[in-house]
Amino acid sequence: MKKKADQVSVAAQIPNTKIRAHRFSRFGHDIVDNYAWLKAANWQDVLQDPSCLPDDIRKHLLEENSYLEQALSSSKKLRETLQQEMRGRIKEADTSVPQRDGQYSYFTRFVDGAQHGQFWRTDHATGQEVLLLDADLAAKRKAYFDLGDTEPSPDHALLAWSADDNGSEYYTIRVRDLSTMQDHKKTLKKTSGDIAWLNNSNGFYYIELDSKHRPVRVKRHVIGNKGPDEIVYEERDPGFFLSISMSQSGAFILIGANDHETSEVWLLDADDPKAVPRLVEGRSPGVQYEVEHWNDKLVILTNADGAEDFKIMCASPEHPGRANWTDLVAYRPGTMVLTMLPLQNFLIRLERENARPRIVVREATTGAEHEIAFADDAYALGIDAGREYDNNSLRFIYSSMRHPSEVYDYDCQSRERILRKRQEIPSGHNPDDYCVARLLARAPDGEYVPISLVHRKSTPLDGTAPCLLYGYGSYGHAIAAGFKTDPLSLIDRGFVYAVAHIRGGTEKGWRWYQDGKRDKKPNTFTDFIACAKHLIAQGYTRPGHIVAHGGSAGGMLMGAIVNMAPELFGGIIAEVPFVDVLNTMLDSDLPLTPPEWPEWGNPAASAAEFETILSYSPYDNIKAQPYPAILALGGLTDPRVTYWEPAKWVAKLRATMTSGGPVLLRTNMDAGHGGASGRFDRLEEVALAYAFALTAIKPEAFS
């Protein structure tokens, strides 16, 4: 394969992926998969112990990694420069805003040079600060380490904490005695990592994963218990995942069971060490709800009664069933209620209208409401639940695409907002040097797709600028128009950085999500292509100068759009890309497949859903045509998008494409879905992606 001069260099030795044809038939289609062998028969063992990977597959993945380094060898200096730049924007010695919890406040602190944070608390009676857990020390001599939950017991004598040390998302829970700083001998393995304490501090609830990596059992651990922990609830439907959380009031532990369309909640009395779960409302197809406790009532965020964009209802804890639900915040079409936070005297909700978020505060006694106002056209907004219920203060986090994030404490009674922290950029950042814009691209069916973008004021908008266009568009996940430091390395080199708010997300409400799933999934792809064409038409860039970027389900987007419109793109960055959609959705043994059927369809049970997925599945639709340069990134222990998906995709692309490329694959042999875990190690992967973008599109930007 040949590339244009001065662009990504190609090594002489492209890995030769062996062909071992695997054939199967379904609904009248005969399908040949030449690279199915890259899926290890013992993949479940590999998740827990990567050394179990068969030698031939390991050899192939390492050859791919070696080829990538050869192909990008000319960008080695650039990658180092980018990594240094991005690290220079991180305040290495940094501390989070403390969260008050009675006598104590808890916070995270980073020290210079540390990859991971430290968990601290302050005793307000003495003013003493105490280090409770040093994650950097716990990660020592580990190739991967992710700190999960850190939950102090209600009496503040113990700390339950969880960690994953190979990227497979199997978390081990430990309990630390804060008087001795020693961990108890008993550990709880193969958990989701989530922890919810009993109010008496004598035990906590957690979720155990089964052999297929699915969260299926809620267990109660009693401190000091050396035998098996009691199973409190077990989910029998493989299509439903479990979650646990403590209500903000501290009265209930909430067990959630859900897929992507349906949910149900069970209540556990947090004061009762032998509590039995009580069902709020049984699952009904298509009905979703979340529960919180607010003074004398349950508050329920739900789409019941046709409330497509959700509303808030209430019921008594004694009679929680749907027959007793009454409206508290009525449904308003086009205004999507995203989440709610009860404080004793106020109920706060975060909602979004016309792709803009806002916070609404409701008084408990009068029902009067007011909004917290923001001036920018495009911004990101989040609320922090904190650790206290009897409190009139709300913490929220605000940023825009050019303004670093700010943490505020807002007094819901006086309406005063206090800036607690502004993100510092040690290497310097002037928001006035940048322009932010919101565009609307017309999709083929007439819908208007929002685009958020940022560029330097000095960047010419005459079609000559390169562009990085990011997209996701699945699971109802909305991409916020917030501040990110890493893309500045592209923006400051003349790139336009744009986010396509395509269907499959909820930027324009729940309908926006519904119009980008199952049989309507192709709208996600045509929306993204429409955004690319609109950026070209408006003079922001030109064909062949766009690098498309997406990860996970966004990586599936990358595979689809490059099959459909390769001429628009100069490069594709696909991180942990979900590209083998048909084969994955046919394999019910994979961790996420049954819960994903409501999102994508079940091609094993429905001929129509088989046909739909087959029509767009990136791996199955690779064509004999030119393709741009492609970078695929995978993780060996990824339980969400398994390593073989990008490996198979890359092999088939090379074997089918007529020209273009190169097509590159890097598998992180020490990590899973999120890539490298350390805050600085992760920058190496980002630098690789951005160096790839620069060398593919704008080689003159560096020497």
Side-chain angles (χ1 to χ4, degrees):
M1 292 177 285
K2 297 180 179 179
K3 282 294 289 178
K4 297 176 184 178
D6 298 325
Q7 289 189 330
V8 180
S9 61
V10 181
Q13 188 73 33
I14 298 174
N16 179 24
T17 312
K18 297 175 182 178
I19 292 176
R20 301 175 188 171
H22 169 70
R23 294 177 170 83
F24 67 95
S25 298
R26 194 67 59 95
F27 297 117
H29 290 273
D30 296 321
I31 295 178
V32 179
D33 186 350
N34 288 330
Y35 306 105
W37 66 272
L38 287 167
K39 175 187 174 183
N42 66 337
W43 62 266
Q44 291 167 321
D45 296 329
V46 174
L47 281 179
Q48 299 178 58
D49 182 1
S51 68
C52 294
L53 186 70
D55 290 343
D56 58 340
I57 299 175
R58 181 178 297 279
K59 180 175 182 291
H60 175 75
L61 297 179
L62 292 175
E63 286 176 350
E64 288 283 6
N65 287 354
S66 178
Y67 171 59
L68 176 141
E69 291 300 331
Q70 294 177 61
L72 296 179
S73 60
S74 63
S75 70
K76 184 177 180 181
K77 183 178 178 181
L78 173 63
R79 286 158 60 182
E80 292 172 353
T81 299
L82 292 171
Q83 195 170 350
Q84 290 169 2
E85 282 179 8
M86 290 185 285
R87 183 163 179 168
R89 299 187 192 107
I90 296 173
K91 185 181 179 184
E92 294 200 15
D94 201 8
T95 301
S96 67
V97 181
Q99 290 185 329
R100 183 85 184 228
D101 188 1
Q103 179 182 333
Y104 299 95
S105 286
Y106 292 89
F107 60 94
T108 299
R109 174 174 287 159
F110 284 91
V111 299
D112 280 332
Q115 296 271 12
H116 306 274
Q118 300 172 336
F119 190 57
W120 287 74
R121 79 175 175 199
T122 301
D123 185 336
H124 292 287
T126 65
Q128 183 181 17
E129 291 184 350
V130 178
L131 173 62
L132 306 182
L133 176 66
D134 187 340
D136 215 49
L137 182 62
K140 196 172 183 179
R141 292 187 292 276
K142 292 183 173 69
Y144 181 94
F145 182 85
D146 180 53
L147 182 63
D149 218 349
T150 50
E151 286 297 330
S153 59
D155 65 3
H156 305 282
L158 301 171
L159 175 71
W161 62 283
S162 61
D164 166 24
D165 62 6
N166 71 5
S168 65
E169 299 178 41
Y170 279 112
Y171 285 84
T172 297
I173 297 175
R174 296 172 173 83
V175 178
R176 178 162 296 186
D177 186 329
L178 297 182
S179 65
T180 64
M181 295 300 171
Q182 297 298 309
D183 289 335
H184 294 184
K185 288 184 179 180
K186 183 171 181 177
T187 60
L188 309 175
K189 298 182 178 180
K190 297 183 181 178
T191 83
S192 69
D194 298 318
I195 299 157
W197 279 95
L198 284 158
N199 283 335
N200 65 7
S201 300
N202 288 337
F204 56 83
Y205 295 91
Y206 66 98
I207 296 176
E208 184 177 65
L209 308 184
D210 67 6
S211 61
K212 295 180 180 179
H213 202 282
R214 295 174 186 153
V216 296
R217 283 180 290 276
V218 175
K219 287 189 165 185
R220 181 163 46 220
H221 176 67
V222 177
I223 301 301
N225 176 34
K226 296 181 181 179
D229 289 336
E230 178 186 2
I231 298 174
V232 175
Y233 178 84
E234 185 163 10
E235 178 56 52
R236 301 293 183 181
D237 187 337
F240 277 69
F241 277 6
L242 295 181
S243 62
I244 54 167
S245 61
M246 173 69 82
S247 69
Q248 186 70 12
S249 68
F252 296 103
I253 285 134
L254 309 168
I255 300 174
N258 68 279
D259 62 11
H260 292 292
E261 293 182 338
T262 305
S263 59
E264 72 177 14
V265 176
W266 298 73
L267 305 176
L268 286 163
D269 185 341
D271 289 326
D272 183 356
K274 296 183 179 180
V276 175
R278 281 195 302 122
L279 179 64
V280 173
E281 174 64 27
R283 59 193 73 172
S284 177
V287 176
Q288 300 181 58
Y289 71 95
E290 300 173 10
V291 174
E292 258 292 358
H293 178 239
W294 190 33
N295 299 334
D296 61 347
K297 61 176 73 75
L298 299 178
V299 283
I300 302 149
L301 176 62
T302 181
N303 67 348
D305 309 320
E308 183 180 57
D309 291 322
F310 291 78
K311 62 179 177 177
I312 298 177
M313 306 184 78
C314 61
S316 72
E318 294 77 21
H319 304 285
R322 184 174 171 184
N324 303 307
W325 296 1
T326 58
D327 281 3
L328 183 69
V329 177
Y331 170 53
R332 292 167 295 156
T335 299
M336 185 167 180
V337 184
L338 303 172
T339 190
M340 58 185 177
L341 170 62
L343 301 176
Q344 191 166 59
N345 299 315
F346 299 93
L347 180 67
I348 295 103
R349 67 181 186 269
L350 179 63
E351 57 187 34
R352 184 168 52 237
E353 186 175 21
N354 294 324
R356 290 184 184 177
R358 65 174 173 236
I359 296 170
V360 181
V361 178
R362 181 187 184 93
E363 293 184 17
T365 54
T366 67
E369 295 186 349
H370 70 270
E371 293 181 17
I372 304 176
F374 302 92
D376 286 334
D377 289 334
Y379 56 87
L381 195 59
I383 57 178
D384 184 344
R387 295 178 177 270
E388 291 189 324
Y389 174 67
D390 184 7
N391 174 25
N392 290 334
S393 180
L394 162 70
R395 181 164 294 167
F396 67 83
I397 303 95
Y398 166 87
S399 73
S400 78
M401 294 185 82
R402 65 192 181 106
H403 286 281
S405 67
E406 297 173 335
V407 179
Y408 288 89
D409 281 346
Y410 178 81
D411 189 310
C412 297
Q413 202 155 29
S414 69
R415 305 190 185 185
E416 179 186 10
R417 65 178 79 177
I418 300 171
L419 177 64
R420 297 296 305 276
K421 182 177 182 179
R422 179 177 285 118
Q423 181 182 2
E424 296 181 39
I425 313 298
S427 59
H429 175 74
N430 183 3
D432 293 336
D433 291 340
Y434 302 87
C435 290
V436 172
R438 176 67 65 90
L439 310 178
L440 292 173
R442 186 179 174 89
D445 64 355
E447 286 280 7
Y448 284 93
V449 185
I451 306 170
S452 300
L453 63 85
V454 59
H455 59 83
R456 286 193 71 90
K457 287 183 176 178
S458 58
T459 298
L461 302 181
D462 56 3
T464 61
C467 173
L468 188 137
L469 179 59
Y470 182 85
Y472 187 75
S474 291
Y475 305 115
H477 180 63
I479 304 300
F483 184 74
K484 298 178 181 178
T485 60
D486 293 344
L488 292 171
S489 288
L490 294 180
I491 297 165
D492 289 344
R493 287 175 170 80
F495 267 68
V496 173
Y497 182 84
V499 175
H501 301 288
I502 51 183
R503 276 175 281 187
T506 52
E507 285 90 338
K508 293 178 71 173
W510 197 254
R511 180 188 62 84
W512 202 242
Y513 167 47
Q514 295 287 87
D515 280 352
K517 65 182 292 192
R518 298 186 76 147
D519 62 314
K520 297 180 180 179
K521 191 65 207 172
N523 287 337
T524 303
F525 317 136
T526 53
D527 281 1
F528 190 88
I529 291 168
C531 289
K533 290 180 176 179
H534 189 70
L535 289 167
I536 293 167
Q538 295 299 308
Y540 284 97
T541 188
R542 66 179 187 264
H545 260 219
I546 300 174
V547 176
H549 184 193
S552 196
M556 179 266 295
L557 168 70
M558 296 298 100
I561 57 102
V562 79
N563 285 336
M564 296 168 68
E567 71 283 355
L568 292 178
F569 306 103
I572 301 287
I573 302 169
E575 297 190 66
V576 289
F578 177 37
V579 283
D580 195 11
V581 183
L582 183 64
N583 281 315
T584 293
M585 287 296 102
L586 286 169
D587 189 348
S588 61
D589 284 335
L590 291 173
L592 294 185
T593 294
E596 299 286 83
W597 285 331
E599 179 77 15
W600 312 103
N602 183 350
S606 166
E609 291 175 349
F610 182 97
E611 296 284 351
T612 297
I613 293 174
L614 180 63
S615 73
Y616 68 76
S617 175
Y619 182 66
D620 297 284
N621 285 277
I622 294 170
K623 302 173 185 176
Q625 64 182 4
Y627 279 84
I630 295 174
L631 172 64
L633 302 171
L636 181 60
T637 55
D638 188 347
R640 298 172 184 263
V641 178
T642 48
Y643 73 84
W644 59 82
E645 293 210 27
K648 289 172 61 177
W649 182 54
V650 163
K652 188 173 181 181
L653 277 165
R654 289 202 196 111
T656 309
M657 60 195 287
T658 58
S659 61
V663 178
L664 307 173
L665 170 67
R666 182 206 257 182
T667 304
N668 190 324
M669 306 299 282
D670 298 311
H673 198 65
S677 58
R679 58 175 178 159
F680 304 133
D681 287 346
R682 173 61 182 156
L683 297 180
E684 190 276 332
E685 296 178 341
V686 180
L688 169 67
Y690 285 0
F692 169 84
L694 282 162
T695 50
I697 300 299
K698 198 178 180 189
E700 68 275 12
F702 65 94
S703 57

